[in-house]
Amino acid sequence: MEDKGYANPDLLMTPGQLHVRLQDASICIVDVRPTHEYVSGHIPGALHLDLYGISLNNTGREAFEAFMWTLAYLMGSRGIGSDATVVFYENDSGMRAARGFWICEYLGHRDVHVLDGGLQAWTAAGFETTVDVPIPEQAAFEIVTDTERHIGFEEIRDSLGQADFVPLDTRSDDEYYGRVARSARGGAIPDAVHIEYLNNLDESGAFKPAAELREMYGRAGVTPEQTVACY
C-alpha cells in the first residue's frame, strides 16, 4: 500500500491490494454497512454483517465474555473463519469497520484488516461492484482471547489521574459535551481527551499519514509511551 509511515502498515489494505486477491479463496471480505446499502451494491464476493446494530448494555466481565462468545459464533455462522484473511469495509474508514477489526483482534484473529477509504476508495479506483449476494458457509472461528486488547471500567477508574494514562474519547462533540446521551448518563470520563474519530480521516475518508496523526495527538497530549483507553 501507499507508505503512510505507520508502525503496522499491513493493518490497512488498499483497494488495489484487495482487488488482486478477489479470486483468492483465503480472502474473506466483510461489508459492515446497513443491509439496504449492501444490497444496493458491494464488492464482489463480500459477505454482509452489520455489527453496528449489535450492542451490549452490561459491561460486567461475565456479560462481556458471553457477548464476545456470541460474536465469535456469529462470525463463524456468517462464513468468517480463523484461517481466513479478513478485510472489513464500509463507505469510508469508519467506526463500523474498526469495530469488526477490534472484535477479531480481541478474539485472537491476527490476519485481519480494514479497507482504507472503504467502498468510496474502491469505486474511485475504478473497481466494480455487484448486487449478487453470496451464500455464506459455516466457518470455524477459534477463540484465543487477547485480553490486552480490552480495558474494563474498573481499570479505567483506578487509573484516572495517572500521568501515563489517557482516556481518549472518540465520540462526537454532542456526546462528549453531554448534549446527546447514548448511555445511562451524558458527558465524558473525567480528564478524557476528546478527538472525534473522524479527525483521523482525510477528505476522501481514508486514514491520514502517520506524521499528521502523530502531530494531532501530540498537540492533545496523547503520546506513544502512555496507556491510551479509547472509547
Side-chain angles (χ1 to χ4, degrees):
M1 64 173 292
E2 174 192 350
D3 185 5
K4 295 185 178 183
Y6 299 136
N8 298 299
D10 63 331
L11 300 185
L12 295 176
M13 188 174 287
T14 66
Q17 288 173 317
L18 180 58
H19 186 262
V20 299
R21 296 189 62 181
L22 279 186
Q23 305 307 316
D24 185 342
S26 68
I27 200 89
C28 181
I29 309 168
V30 187
D31 187 317
V32 293
R33 297 176 301 154
T35 303
H36 69 277
E37 294 187 21
Y38 172 76
V39 298
S40 68
H42 51 266
I43 294 174
L47 303 170
H48 180 245
L49 180 57
D50 180 4
L51 290 165
Y52 191 70
I54 306 170
S55 298
L56 178 68
N57 64 359
N58 180 351
T59 57
R61 183 170 300 279
E62 289 188 3
F64 175 75
E65 290 176 354
F67 181 66
M68 297 307 294
W69 181 92
T70 299
L71 290 175
Y73 178 83
L74 181 61
M75 294 274 189
S77 70
R78 294 298 179 88
I80 305 167
S82 298
D83 60 347
T85 297
V86 182
V87 184
F88 288 97
Y89 80 90
E90 55 180 299
N91 288 320
D92 56 12
S93 295
M95 58 183 174
R96 291 172 178 264
R99 178 174 294 192
F101 174 88
W102 178 83
I103 289 170
C104 282
E105 286 252 304
Y106 177 81
L107 293 172
H109 197 310
R110 286 294 170 262
D111 193 3
V112 58
H113 315 265
V114 170
L115 180 63
D116 195 20
L119 190 64
Q120 294 173 172
W122 177 268
T123 56
F127 300 137
E128 65 176 357
T129 59
T130 183
V131 295
D132 295 336
V133 177
I135 300 175
E137 297 181 2
Q138 179 74 40
F141 196 107
E142 180 182 1
I143 300 176
V144 185
T145 304
D146 184 352
T147 57
E148 291 298 312
R149 305 290 177 180
H150 173 260
I151 186 169
F153 77 88
E154 301 95 340
E155 187 177 350
I156 293 175
R157 177 198 60 205
D158 296 342
S159 300
L160 293 178
Q162 298 179 11
D164 61 348
F165 180 80
V166 179
L168 179 61
D169 191 323
T170 65
R171 301 172 302 159
S172 68
D173 288 349
D174 284 342
E175 291 172 293
Y176 176 74
Y177 290 110
R179 295 189 290 261
V180 172
R182 297 181 59 195
S183 56
R185 289 179 291 174
I189 292 174
D191 298 324
V193 172
H194 178 231
I195 300 178
E196 187 175 357
Y197 79 92
L198 290 171
N199 289 293
N200 296 318
L201 311 181
D202 63 21
E203 63 279 358
S204 69
F207 279 98
K208 295 176 180 176
E212 290 186 35
L213 295 174
R214 190 177 297 110
E215 180 183 2
M216 178 180 70
Y217 283 100
R219 287 198 308 267
V222 182
T223 57
E225 64 272 11
Q226 295 168 314
T227 296
V228 181
C230 303
Y231 73 96

